[in-house]
Amino acid sequence: MVLRSYIDPAENREASRKLPRLMVEGLLLGGSGLGVLALIFEIAADAFSVAAYQTLLAIHGASGHHDIAILAFVLLSAMLFLGIVPAYKAGAYIRPTAGGSGPLVEAIGPSKLRWLSWVGTSLFFLDAVLTIIISSISAADVMMLLFPEFAPYRILLAECFAFFIMAVLVAVGPRRAVPLFLLGGGAFTIFTLLALSLVGYSALANPEWGFLTSGIVHRLEEAQVVEHVVRAAGDAPAIGSVLFFQFFFRSMSSAMLGFSGYEVIPASGKHAARPKWKVVNTALTLAAVFLIGTGVLQLAAAKAWNIPSTEGYSTLLIEYEIVAAQTFGRGLEQADVIVVDQDIVDAQRIYDERRHQAQEQTSEHSSADSAASASDHSRGDEIGAIAHDIAIARAIENALRGADGQGILSIAALLLAIILLLAQGGGYIGGAAVAANAAKLGRMPGFFINDRIGIAVIWGFSAAFIPLIREVVVVEAYYAFGFVSAFIITSTTVYFARDDVLRDRGIIPGSPEARSLRFAGLRGMVASYAMGAVLITQKTEALGAIVVLAALITLFQLYYAFGGARRDPAKLSPYTPAPDGKPDYDSGIQRAHDKARARGIIDRVNLLLEEGALVKFNVDSARIRRLVTYVYSLDRDAFELQRMEAEYDDDLAHEPSKELDDTYDKYFNARAEILAKIESYSHYGIFTFIDKYYANWVNEEHGRQAADVQRSMISLLFPLTDDDLIFEQYQQYKWEQQPEAIWQFCRERYSWAKDQWPNLSGRLTTVWTLQELGLIPDEVDIKTIISINARNDLREIKIHTHGPLALAPAEKKASITGDDNFDDNYDDDEAPAQD
């Protein structure tokens, strides 16, 4: 039963019960994380903004044939909804905090697919750079609607946009920038749903409004907002089957860009509300519906109104302008379009300029004598058509001037510009997150773990390429390879998910649930592989550059991870840190394992503090953490950094690979060793007190040798531990000046012993004083009873009173009450902490 749900029924019922709250969680930045709508609004800037351009690109790829563009988009939509969505939902259910495709391979994939994580990281990094480029250029294009006079400075404006978002993210941090994406994404999503619904209705009810299209396009061309127009062509049956399939697949390859950003939804789920998988899966479904629905409505309106592909200007905005003039403006009929003499004069000038430009472009390939001039008849027709377009543009301007439509159109353009501007955030944050994951794996320099540095590096590459690319239709050929490769890698990884990962999620390998989950991955593989094949065959000109750049980034990862061009086992061996020494790693992998060691130690110490296992030391947690930091050679701010990361991701921490998981577990499970290490320094502090003060009570005339006094002091200060064991440790004690980080902990134990000694030693020192005064014979055997914990468990203590050279035998512990079960917090250690 491959269609059987792989989700535990009880878990699914509980998640469905919480879904209404999860839908709106975090909209006001409250609660435990982002809910479905907040998550959608956050990623809307990346995923949904491209929906404004998918129609343009689909028509462009189909060479203006709307029927072909619609068919191509319908097939793509089926692939997305029936293939990619199930695969991503399955991946999110198994590991909702894995992030991008590369991290998912490391988290749940088998070793045979591990190489995909290297390639996936490279392609995702490229995808991030291209996201910045296409978003900043698109935002600059849309701004031309509001400020057409800035057209000559379009690329400079795109550079400014890219820098602005980078600066904001670096200044406030990716997480604190979430409100920016919530506000922008939410406003755009809500407005688009309402506006596109009106556009779709208007196109179906009023197809005759299409006469306005040519006037709008003419105005955009003259304002130099549009650099290239693919005019609407005739019906598809008019062309041959060869051209039909050529345009069809070309349109598919271009329209894929409308799904860009979808791959970042699981990565954004890192800070989703719990249960994370339910939030991510619901967001995946709703986002797919939005992407498909907006595309269908735009294409339907584009066909009804015969809208061409206008490079540099969204098809969506042309549709908005038609509705703004007709519904919210004064409205136009074809009879309202009147050509005046000035229109004809302007049309002649424009015609002559276009002819002159065309002749200059062809002069290199043909002689001036062979260039035939246009006939008077065709020249007159073209001038007449241009004059008519000028008249339409003027009529639209008059219909909008002072009307509500002008304000609505400005809002639409502003929202689209803002969302395209914010769309860079998806590239910056997603790319930086993938780079940070690679750094955690030891494949990139450690500074990439800081998202701010990753964001700045991505901006540097983007800023260099914006002036070279300049146009959306140029970058989209390269851009599609990034997210389609993410689809391929994610689907393949889900299909081949490791059995141990399934068991951890409560799915028995080989069960109907496991087969259903793998079938979800298989559907994603079929859809994503088909998309990949279309891209390779239709965007072949971009394939070479993508392969070269991805190979270079992958080679850099390999070189850094293995510490050189060749794999040297010595460079991959476990790193042995020196106390408080600056680490000097031989390879990135060695560094990654050492950092996993540190994370395991830190989490164990934090857990020991939480469960109260370190209360007996009566030392504040800051000193304990400082001690551990020094002794285990951790970064000075390692505890604070891990605390901040835990706040960002409140799920149980997962290492990015199985190997690092093993290293983490090894040190996290070293509970006894870590406790023993801390305890040894606690003993050092108490031993220091004994060493400095025992001589005050040594009296060889009465038989109190140094060892006798030391044993007596140990009996009182360590009432729960065998005297012989502690005395043996004390004999190995040697005073040495300790580093400040260690002594700050030891001093607290020293001070505790010094403070407690007067309270504990009253009976013992009284007897010794009386003995020295000759009031107690040496041979008298004196014992005392002390309370050793809050339950008033008692212990008998023998006071040394033997004659010269006699050594007191080790006293065994025995409770007068007969209760040997001491409080767990004080087992096998010194006296309870008291102030």
Side-chain angles (χ1 to χ4, degrees):
M1 297 179 63
V2 294
L3 295 180
R4 180 173 178 173
S5 176
Y6 47 81
I7 300 174
D8 179 72
E11 183 181 7
N12 196 22
R13 285 194 298 271
E14 178 65 15
S16 299
R17 184 184 65 81
K18 296 179 179 178
L19 186 58
R21 175 182 61 81
L22 293 174
M23 290 292 294
V24 297
E25 181 90 6
L27 285 178
L28 298 178
L29 300 183
S32 60
L34 297 182
V36 176
L37 291 178
L39 188 61
I40 287 177
F41 292 162
E42 187 195 22
I43 61 95
D46 189 9
F48 296 169
S49 61
V50 189
Y53 274 82
Q54 63 187 355
T55 310
L56 178 156
L57 296 167
I59 299 171
H60 181 274
S63 293
H65 293 86
H66 290 95
D67 292 339
I68 296 178
I70 291 173
L71 289 174
F73 186 76
V74 167
L75 180 58
L76 278 176
S77 300
M79 289 180 174
L80 177 71
F81 200 78
L82 302 178
I84 306 301
V85 173
Y88 265 84
K89 290 172 70 174
Y93 180 72
I94 299 176
R95 188 62 63 87
T97 58
S101 55
L104 189 68
V105 175
E106 293 289 346
I108 72 172
S111 57
K112 64 182 179 181
L113 292 181
R114 197 64 54 82
W115 62 273
L116 283 176
S117 67
W118 302 79
V119 178
T121 297
S122 302
L123 290 171
F124 203 103
F125 191 83
L126 287 176
D127 183 81
V129 173
L130 293 173
T131 297
I132 311 307
I133 296 172
I134 195 171
S135 299
S136 57
I137 293 177
S138 299
D141 289 341
V142 174
M143 289 300 292
M144 297 305 101
L145 173 66
L146 301 176
F147 307 102
E149 63 273 14
F150 289 166
Y153 310 104
R154 187 173 64 92
I155 298 302
L156 178 60
L157 189 62
E159 291 278 19
C160 293
F161 285 160
F163 177 81
F164 172 74
I165 296 298
M166 180 276 295
V168 170
L169 290 174
V170 169
V172 305
R175 192 180 184 192
R176 292 183 179 179
V178 167
L180 188 67
F181 295 100
L182 289 184
L183 292 174
F188 174 78
T189 305
I190 295 171
F191 180 86
T192 302
L193 287 173
L194 296 175
L196 260 182
S197 299
L198 180 59
V199 166
Y201 169 78
S202 300
L204 293 176
N206 304 283
E208 68 276 5
W209 290 355
F211 77 93
L212 300 176
T213 299
S214 60
I216 297 173
V217 173
H218 169 80
R219 176 178 54 80
L220 296 173
E221 286 183 294
E222 288 306 303
Q224 296 182 347
V225 173
V226 171
E227 296 184 3
H228 182 62
V229 177
V230 177
R231 302 289 176 181
D235 294 335
I239 62 176
S241 58
V242 175
L243 278 179
F244 174 86
F245 285 106
Q246 179 181 340
F247 293 157
F248 177 79
F249 289 119
R250 191 74 178 180
S251 180
M252 276 187 66
S253 66
S254 298
M256 284 179 198
L257 193 65
F259 300 152
S260 169
Y262 192 83
E263 75 281 4
V264 307
I265 297 177
S268 299
K270 183 177 181 180
H271 46 275
R274 292 184 177 183
K276 293 181 184 292
W277 68 267
K278 187 66 174 180
V279 175
V280 174
N281 285 7
T282 306
L284 285 166
T285 300
L286 292 181
V289 171
F290 184 94
L291 292 173
I292 294 170
T294 54
V296 168
L297 287 173
Q298 287 182 74
L299 282 171
K303 177 176 172 57
W305 291 333
N306 211 29
I307 299 176
S309 170
T310 51
E311 166 57 22
Y313 194 82
S314 171
T315 306
L316 182 63
L317 285 180
I318 295 178
E319 295 169 352
Y320 284 167
E321 188 165 353
I322 293 175
V323 173
Q326 298 292 67
T327 303
F328 299 101
R330 297 179 180 83
L332 291 172
E333 299 290 342
Q334 292 202 37
D336 297 327
V337 178
I338 301 174
V339 178
V340 298
D341 293 339
Q342 186 60 43
D343 296 337
I344 296 175
V345 172
D346 292 339
Q348 290 175 340
R349 175 183 53 80
I350 293 170
Y351 176 82
D352 292 337
E353 289 176 354
R354 291 178 181 177
R355 290 289 298 174
H356 179 68
Q357 291 175 358
Q359 289 175 357
E360 286 183 344
Q361 293 173 359
T362 59
S363 60
E364 297 180 0
H365 305 285
S366 60
S367 65
D369 294 337
S370 63
S373 60
S375 66
D376 292 339
H377 179 70
S378 61
R379 181 177 186 276
D381 290 343
E382 290 190 34
I383 291 175
I386 295 173
H388 189 259
D389 290 342
I390 294 173
I392 294 175
R394 186 178 63 256
I396 294 174
E397 184 179 352
N398 293 333
L400 289 172
R401 185 181 295 114
D404 294 338
Q406 187 174 27
I408 292 174
L409 189 59
S410 298
I411 293 174
L414 185 61
L415 279 177
L416 185 54
I418 291 174
I419 204 65
L420 286 167
L421 186 63
L422 296 179
Q424 299 173 72
Y428 281 130
I429 296 174
V434 170
N437 185 80
K440 205 172 181 180
L441 286 164
R443 300 173 183 176
M444 297 280 262
F447 57 75
F448 274 104
I449 293 178
N450 186 334
D451 285 346
R452 287 178 167 89
I453 295 178
I455 289 169
V457 171
I458 292 171
W459 167 79
F461 282 103
S462 303
F465 282 105
I466 286 175
L468 300 177
I469 292 176
R470 302 184 65 87
E471 297 179 6
V472 174
V473 292
V474 174
V475 72
E476 61 96 2
Y478 301 90
Y479 189 35
F481 281 98
F483 62 83
V484 171
S485 67
F487 293 166
I488 292 172
I489 293 172
T490 298
S491 302
T492 306
T493 302
V494 169
Y495 181 77
F496 290 104
R498 299 195 310 269
D499 288 346
D500 63 293
V501 174
L502 298 183
R503 291 191 190 95
D504 290 343
R505 201 62 181 89
I507 300 174
I508 301 173
S511 65
E513 291 80 8
R515 290 196 295 271
S516 175
L517 186 139
R518 296 193 189 280
F519 181 63
L522 179 63
R523 283 185 284 168
M525 289 172 66
V526 172
S528 60
Y529 288 7
M531 290 182 181
V534 171
L535 274 182
I536 292 173
T537 57
Q538 301 302 314
K539 304 293 185 183
T540 310
E541 70 278 5
L543 184 60
I546 291 294
V547 170
V548 170
L549 292 174
L552 288 175
I553 298 175
T554 303
L555 288 174
F556 173 79
Q557 292 184 74
L558 291 168
Y559 181 88
Y560 187 87
F562 296 122
R566 289 187 295 181
R567 186 168 182 168
D568 185 356
K571 294 182 177 181
L572 306 179
S573 59
Y575 177 73
T576 305
D580 201 35
K582 187 175 181 179
D584 184 18
Y585 303 113
D586 294 324
S587 66
I589 291 178
Q590 191 179 71
R591 189 205 75 218
H593 281 276
D594 189 53
K595 296 304 181 184
R597 171 192 71 91
R599 288 188 289 271
I601 293 170
I602 291 170
D603 284 348
R604 172 53 67 187
V605 171
N606 287 335
L607 188 59
L608 288 172
L609 289 168
E610 289 176 10
E611 65 188 23
L614 305 180
V615 170
K616 62 182 180 182
F617 298 123
N618 199 31
V619 178
D620 62 279
S621 59
R623 295 177 190 266
I624 293 175
R625 290 189 173 104
R626 188 178 179 187
L627 169 71
V628 171
T629 298
Y630 182 89
V631 171
Y632 286 97
S633 299
L634 309 180
D635 294 336
R636 292 181 183 274
D637 54 353
F639 275 94
E640 179 63 18
L641 289 175
Q642 196 138 325
R643 182 190 64 81
M644 294 171 62
E645 184 176 344
E647 288 180 356
Y648 189 76
D649 179 12
D650 56 0
D651 263 350
L652 291 176
H654 290 287
E655 291 298 313
S657 71
K658 189 177 185 302
E659 291 79 8
L660 294 182
D661 249 336
D662 295 339
T663 299
Y664 173 92
D665 291 340
K666 175 183 176 182
Y667 289 94
F668 179 79
N669 295 329
R671 182 181 190 274
E673 177 188 336
I674 295 173
L675 270 174
K677 182 70 72 173
I678 297 174
E679 189 174 70
S680 68
Y681 286 105
S682 172
H683 289 181
Y684 184 90
I686 299 174
F687 289 164
T688 300
F689 166 75
I690 296 174
D691 184 60
K692 290 184 178 296
Y693 282 88
Y694 79 90
N696 293 320
W697 297 103
V698 173
N699 190 324
E700 296 182 356
E701 293 181 4
H702 293 280
R704 286 199 306 275
Q705 306 293 332
D708 299 325
V709 176
Q710 291 163 0
R711 278 182 174 274
S712 296
M713 296 180 76
I714 286 172
S715 294
L716 290 178
L717 293 173
F718 296 89
L720 304 180
T721 312
D722 188 279
D723 292 348
D724 292 335
L725 176 63
I726 299 298
F727 189 68
E728 181 181 351
Q729 294 179 14
Y730 178 77
Q731 287 178 315
Q732 298 173 4
Y733 163 84
K734 181 181 179 182
W735 164 252
E736 294 178 353
Q737 185 172 354
Q738 298 290 341
E740 189 66 16
I742 292 179
W743 181 243
Q744 284 300 320
F745 174 84
C746 297
R747 187 175 65 82
E748 290 295 298
R749 302 303 294 145
Y750 172 91
S751 299
W752 172 86
K754 183 178 179 181
D755 293 340
Q756 293 303 308
W757 175 247
N759 300 328
L760 299 172
S761 65
R763 299 176 187 179
L764 182 140
T765 55
T766 298
V767 171
W768 285 348
T769 301
L770 293 174
Q771 185 183 32
E772 291 176 356
L773 294 174
L775 300 178
I776 298 178
D778 290 341
E779 63 274 8
V780 175
D781 186 22
I782 299 177
K783 299 179 181 179
T784 186
I785 295 174
I786 64 172
S787 177
I788 58 176
N789 59 27
R791 294 202 306 263
N792 202 31
D793 291 329
L794 304 177
R795 179 192 171 188
E796 182 182 277
I797 298 291
K798 185 178 186 303
I799 300 177
H800 176 79
T801 57
H802 289 273
L805 305 180
L807 296 177
E811 296 293 339
K812 305 299 180 184
K813 299 172 182 58
S815 172
I816 297 300
T817 62
D819 185 3
D820 294 329
N821 298 319
F822 299 126
D823 192 322
D824 290 340
N825 281 343
Y826 307 124
D827 281 351
D828 300 326
D829 205 30
E830 60 264 24
Q834 302 177 27
D835 291 328

mmCIF file of all heavy atoms in Angstrom, residues 519-547:
data_model
loop_
_atom_site.group_PDB
_atom_site.id
_atom_site.type_symbol
_atom_site.label_atom_id
_atom_site.label_comp_id
_atom_site.label_asym_id
_atom_site.label_seq_id
_atom_site.Cartn_x
_atom_site.Cartn_y
_atom_site.Cartn_z
ATOM 1 N N PHE A 519 7.826 5.826 -1.580
ATOM 2 C CA PHE A 519 7.074 6.133 -2.797
ATOM 3 C C PHE A 519 6.946 7.643 -2.984
ATOM 4 O O PHE A 519 6.964 8.144 -4.115
ATOM 5 C CB PHE A 519 5.694 5.486 -2.741
ATOM 6 C CG PHE A 519 4.855 5.731 -3.970
ATOM 7 C CD1 PHE A 519 5.262 5.251 -5.212
ATOM 8 C CD2 PHE A 519 3.674 6.450 -3.895
ATOM 9 C CE1 PHE A 519 4.494 5.474 -6.355
ATOM 10 C CE2 PHE A 519 2.904 6.680 -5.024
ATOM 11 C CZ PHE A 519 3.319 6.193 -6.259
ATOM 12 N N ALA A 520 6.826 8.368 -1.876
ATOM 13 C CA ALA A 520 6.810 9.833 -1.959
ATOM 14 C C ALA A 520 8.127 10.339 -2.548
ATOM 15 O O ALA A 520 8.144 11.239 -3.398
ATOM 16 C CB ALA A 520 6.570 10.444 -0.581
ATOM 17 N N GLY A 521 9.228 9.736 -2.104
ATOM 18 C CA GLY A 521 10.512 10.103 -2.679
ATOM 19 C C GLY A 521 10.614 9.730 -4.145
ATOM 20 O O GLY A 521 11.177 10.480 -4.950
ATOM 21 N N LEU A 522 10.048 8.575 -4.518
ATOM 22 C CA LEU A 522 10.084 8.140 -5.912
ATOM 23 C C LEU A 522 9.319 9.097 -6.819
ATOM 24 O O LEU A 522 9.772 9.434 -7.920
ATOM 25 C CB LEU A 522 9.511 6.727 -6.025
ATOM 26 C CG LEU A 522 9.452 6.134 -7.436
ATOM 27 C CD1 LEU A 522 10.853 5.990 -8.015
ATOM 28 C CD2 LEU A 522 8.738 4.784 -7.420
ATOM 29 N N ARG A 523 8.160 9.556 -6.345
ATOM 30 C CA ARG A 523 7.396 10.518 -7.145
ATOM 31 C C ARG A 523 8.191 11.806 -7.342
ATOM 32 O O ARG A 523 8.195 12.398 -8.429
ATOM 33 C CB ARG A 523 6.065 10.823 -6.452
ATOM 34 C CG ARG A 523 5.024 9.728 -6.621
ATOM 35 C CD ARG A 523 3.703 10.148 -6.023
ATOM 36 N NE ARG A 523 3.717 10.064 -4.575
ATOM 37 C CZ ARG A 523 2.780 10.582 -3.779
ATOM 38 N NH1 ARG A 523 1.763 11.240 -4.314
ATOM 39 N NH2 ARG A 523 2.836 10.432 -2.483
ATOM 40 N N GLY A 524 8.860 12.235 -6.282
ATOM 41 C CA GLY A 524 9.705 13.417 -6.415
ATOM 42 C C GLY A 524 10.852 13.195 -7.376
ATOM 43 O O GLY A 524 11.230 14.101 -8.130
ATOM 44 N N MET A 525 11.409 11.985 -7.374
ATOM 45 C CA MET A 525 12.505 11.675 -8.293
ATOM 46 C C MET A 525 12.034 11.753 -9.744
ATOM 47 O O MET A 525 12.714 12.325 -10.599
ATOM 48 C CB MET A 525 13.059 10.281 -7.985
ATOM 49 C CG MET A 525 13.829 10.198 -6.682
ATOM 50 S SD MET A 525 14.262 8.489 -6.237
ATOM 51 C CE MET A 525 15.397 8.075 -7.561
ATOM 52 N N VAL A 526 10.859 11.173 -10.026
ATOM 53 C CA VAL A 526 10.345 11.194 -11.397
ATOM 54 C C VAL A 526 10.151 12.642 -11.859
ATOM 55 O O VAL A 526 10.564 13.032 -12.955
ATOM 56 C CB VAL A 526 9.021 10.415 -11.482
ATOM 57 C CG1 VAL A 526 8.370 10.602 -12.860
ATOM 58 C CG2 VAL A 526 9.263 8.924 -11.220
ATOM 59 N N ALA A 527 9.515 13.455 -11.006
ATOM 60 C CA ALA A 527 9.241 14.845 -11.385
ATOM 61 C C ALA A 527 10.534 15.654 -11.511
ATOM 62 O O ALA A 527 10.730 16.380 -12.494
ATOM 63 C CB ALA A 527 8.314 15.488 -10.351
ATOM 64 N N SER A 528 11.417 15.533 -10.525
ATOM 65 C CA SER A 528 12.629 16.356 -10.537
ATOM 66 C C SER A 528 13.601 15.924 -11.629
ATOM 67 O O SER A 528 14.252 16.762 -12.252
ATOM 68 C CB SER A 528 13.311 16.293 -9.170
ATOM 69 O OG SER A 528 13.669 14.964 -8.834
ATOM 70 N N TYR A 529 13.696 14.604 -11.868
ATOM 71 C CA TYR A 529 14.576 14.149 -12.953
ATOM 72 C C TYR A 529 14.069 14.633 -14.302
ATOM 73 O O TYR A 529 14.862 14.992 -15.188
ATOM 74 C CB TYR A 529 14.681 12.629 -12.958
ATOM 75 C CG TYR A 529 15.500 12.055 -11.823
ATOM 76 C CD1 TYR A 529 15.981 12.865 -10.787
ATOM 77 C CD2 TYR A 529 15.799 10.706 -11.755
ATOM 78 C CE1 TYR A 529 16.720 12.348 -9.753
ATOM 79 C CE2 TYR A 529 16.546 10.174 -10.725
ATOM 80 C CZ TYR A 529 16.997 11.002 -9.716
ATOM 81 O OH TYR A 529 17.736 10.483 -8.690
ATOM 82 N N ALA A 530 12.725 14.648 -14.471
ATOM 83 C CA ALA A 530 12.155 15.157 -15.725
ATOM 84 C C ALA A 530 12.478 16.645 -15.877
ATOM 85 O O ALA A 530 12.840 17.113 -16.966
ATOM 86 C CB ALA A 530 10.649 14.922 -15.751
ATOM 87 N N MET A 531 12.334 17.403 -14.788
ATOM 88 C CA MET A 531 12.687 18.820 -14.844
ATOM 89 C C MET A 531 14.157 19.003 -15.192
ATOM 90 O O MET A 531 14.527 19.871 -15.999
ATOM 91 C CB MET A 531 12.394 19.488 -13.491
ATOM 92 C CG MET A 531 10.931 19.647 -13.149
ATOM 93 S SD MET A 531 10.727 20.510 -11.556
ATOM 94 C CE MET A 531 8.938 20.522 -11.409
ATOM 95 N N GLY A 532 15.006 18.185 -14.575
ATOM 96 C CA GLY A 532 16.429 18.276 -14.854
ATOM 97 C C GLY A 532 16.756 17.980 -16.304
ATOM 98 O O GLY A 532 17.601 18.654 -16.923
ATOM 99 N N ALA A 533 16.080 16.965 -16.867
ATOM 100 C CA ALA A 533 16.323 16.617 -18.271
ATOM 101 C C ALA A 533 15.903 17.757 -19.198
ATOM 102 O O ALA A 533 16.595 18.071 -20.176
ATOM 103 C CB ALA A 533 15.562 15.340 -18.621
ATOM 104 N N VAL A 534 14.765 18.384 -18.904
ATOM 105 C CA VAL A 534 14.312 19.515 -19.715
ATOM 106 C C VAL A 534 15.319 20.664 -19.632
ATOM 107 O O VAL A 534 15.663 21.288 -20.639
ATOM 108 C CB VAL A 534 12.914 19.976 -19.252
ATOM 109 C CG1 VAL A 534 12.537 21.288 -19.928
ATOM 110 C CG2 VAL A 534 11.873 18.913 -19.569
ATOM 111 N N LEU A 535 15.806 20.939 -18.430
ATOM 112 C CA LEU A 535 16.785 22.018 -18.275
ATOM 113 C C LEU A 535 18.057 21.742 -19.073
ATOM 114 O O LEU A 535 18.581 22.619 -19.761
ATOM 115 C CB LEU A 535 17.143 22.191 -16.795
ATOM 116 C CG LEU A 535 16.249 23.097 -15.953
ATOM 117 C CD1 LEU A 535 16.795 23.174 -14.534
ATOM 118 C CD2 LEU A 535 16.147 24.478 -16.551
ATOM 119 N N ILE A 536 18.557 20.526 -18.953
ATOM 120 C CA ILE A 536 19.822 20.194 -19.623
ATOM 121 C C ILE A 536 19.693 20.318 -21.132
ATOM 122 O O ILE A 536 20.588 20.807 -21.818
ATOM 123 C CB ILE A 536 20.275 18.782 -19.227
ATOM 124 C CG1 ILE A 536 20.675 18.764 -17.743
ATOM 125 C CG2 ILE A 536 21.436 18.302 -20.089
ATOM 126 C CD1 ILE A 536 20.974 17.400 -17.193
ATOM 127 N N THR A 537 18.550 19.903 -21.664
ATOM 128 C CA THR A 537 18.371 19.945 -23.119
ATOM 129 C C THR A 537 18.000 21.333 -23.629
ATOM 130 O O THR A 537 18.343 21.677 -24.768
ATOM 131 C CB THR A 537 17.282 18.944 -23.541
ATOM 132 O OG1 THR A 537 16.059 19.246 -22.831
ATOM 133 C CG2 THR A 537 17.702 17.518 -23.221
ATOM 134 N N GLN A 538 17.321 22.123 -22.795
ATOM 135 C CA GLN A 538 16.839 23.417 -23.266
ATOM 136 C C GLN A 538 17.720 24.587 -22.825
ATOM 137 O O GLN A 538 17.689 25.646 -23.445
ATOM 138 C CB GLN A 538 15.400 23.655 -22.768
ATOM 139 C CG GLN A 538 14.416 22.610 -23.225
ATOM 140 C CD GLN A 538 14.348 22.506 -24.741
ATOM 141 O OE1 GLN A 538 14.270 23.519 -25.436
ATOM 142 N NE2 GLN A 538 14.381 21.278 -25.267
ATOM 143 N N LYS A 539 18.449 24.422 -21.763
ATOM 144 C CA LYS A 539 19.323 25.490 -21.265
ATOM 145 C C LYS A 539 20.781 25.034 -21.341
ATOM 146 O O LYS A 539 21.579 25.295 -20.440
ATOM 147 C CB LYS A 539 18.961 25.845 -19.818
ATOM 148 C CG LYS A 539 17.508 26.253 -19.616
ATOM 149 C CD LYS A 539 17.179 27.570 -20.305
ATOM 150 C CE LYS A 539 15.756 28.008 -19.974
ATOM 151 N NZ LYS A 539 15.379 29.245 -20.668
ATOM 152 N N THR A 540 21.089 24.378 -22.433
ATOM 153 C CA THR A 540 22.430 23.816 -22.592
ATOM 154 C C THR A 540 23.510 24.888 -22.528
ATOM 155 O O THR A 540 24.614 24.653 -22.026
ATOM 156 C CB THR A 540 22.531 23.069 -23.939
ATOM 157 O OG1 THR A 540 21.417 22.181 -24.053
ATOM 158 C CG2 THR A 540 23.822 22.283 -24.019
ATOM 159 N N GLU A 541 23.184 26.087 -22.994
ATOM 160 C CA GLU A 541 24.192 27.146 -23.007
ATOM 161 C C GLU A 541 24.620 27.535 -21.602
ATOM 162 O O GLU A 541 25.720 28.070 -21.404
ATOM 163 C CB GLU A 541 23.654 28.371 -23.744
ATOM 164 C CG GLU A 541 22.531 29.138 -23.034
ATOM 165 C CD GLU A 541 21.154 28.514 -23.229
ATOM 166 O OE1 GLU A 541 21.072 27.428 -23.841
ATOM 167 O OE2 GLU A 541 20.166 29.117 -22.778
ATOM 168 N N ALA A 542 23.754 27.277 -20.602
ATOM 169 C CA ALA A 542 24.104 27.618 -19.223
ATOM 170 C C ALA A 542 24.754 26.454 -18.486
ATOM 171 O O ALA A 542 25.352 26.654 -17.426
ATOM 172 C CB ALA A 542 22.848 28.061 -18.466
ATOM 173 N N LEU A 543 24.621 25.248 -19.037
ATOM 174 C CA LEU A 543 25.083 24.063 -18.323
ATOM 175 C C LEU A 543 26.586 24.105 -18.069
ATOM 176 O O LEU A 543 27.058 23.743 -16.983
ATOM 177 C CB LEU A 543 24.709 22.809 -19.118
ATOM 178 C CG LEU A 543 25.042 21.467 -18.456
ATOM 179 C CD1 LEU A 543 24.309 21.344 -17.128
ATOM 180 C CD2 LEU A 543 24.641 20.316 -19.378
ATOM 181 N N GLY A 544 27.354 24.521 -19.060
ATOM 182 C CA GLY A 544 28.805 24.533 -18.916
ATOM 183 C C GLY A 544 29.264 25.399 -17.766
ATOM 184 O O GLY A 544 30.086 24.989 -16.934
ATOM 185 N N ALA A 545 28.715 26.612 -17.694
ATOM 186 C CA ALA A 545 29.103 27.527 -16.612
ATOM 187 C C ALA A 545 28.698 26.978 -15.256
ATOM 188 O O ALA A 545 29.457 27.079 -14.277
ATOM 189 C CB ALA A 545 28.471 28.890 -16.842
ATOM 190 N N ILE A 546 27.492 26.376 -15.182
ATOM 191 C CA ILE A 546 27.028 25.811 -13.919
ATOM 192 C C ILE A 546 27.948 24.675 -13.471
ATOM 193 O O ILE A 546 28.347 24.584 -12.305
ATOM 194 C CB ILE A 546 25.576 25.306 -14.057
ATOM 195 C CG1 ILE A 546 24.617 26.486 -14.212
ATOM 196 C CG2 ILE A 546 25.182 24.455 -12.864
ATOM 197 C CD1 ILE A 546 24.523 27.372 -13.004
ATOM 198 N N VAL A 547 28.303 23.785 -14.395
ATOM 199 C CA VAL A 547 29.165 22.650 -14.059
ATOM 200 C C VAL A 547 30.533 23.134 -13.595
ATOM 201 O O VAL A 547 31.078 22.653 -12.594
ATOM 202 C CB VAL A 547 29.303 21.701 -15.265
ATOM 203 C CG1 VAL A 547 30.373 20.650 -15.015
ATOM 204 C CG2 VAL A 547 27.969 21.023 -15.567
#
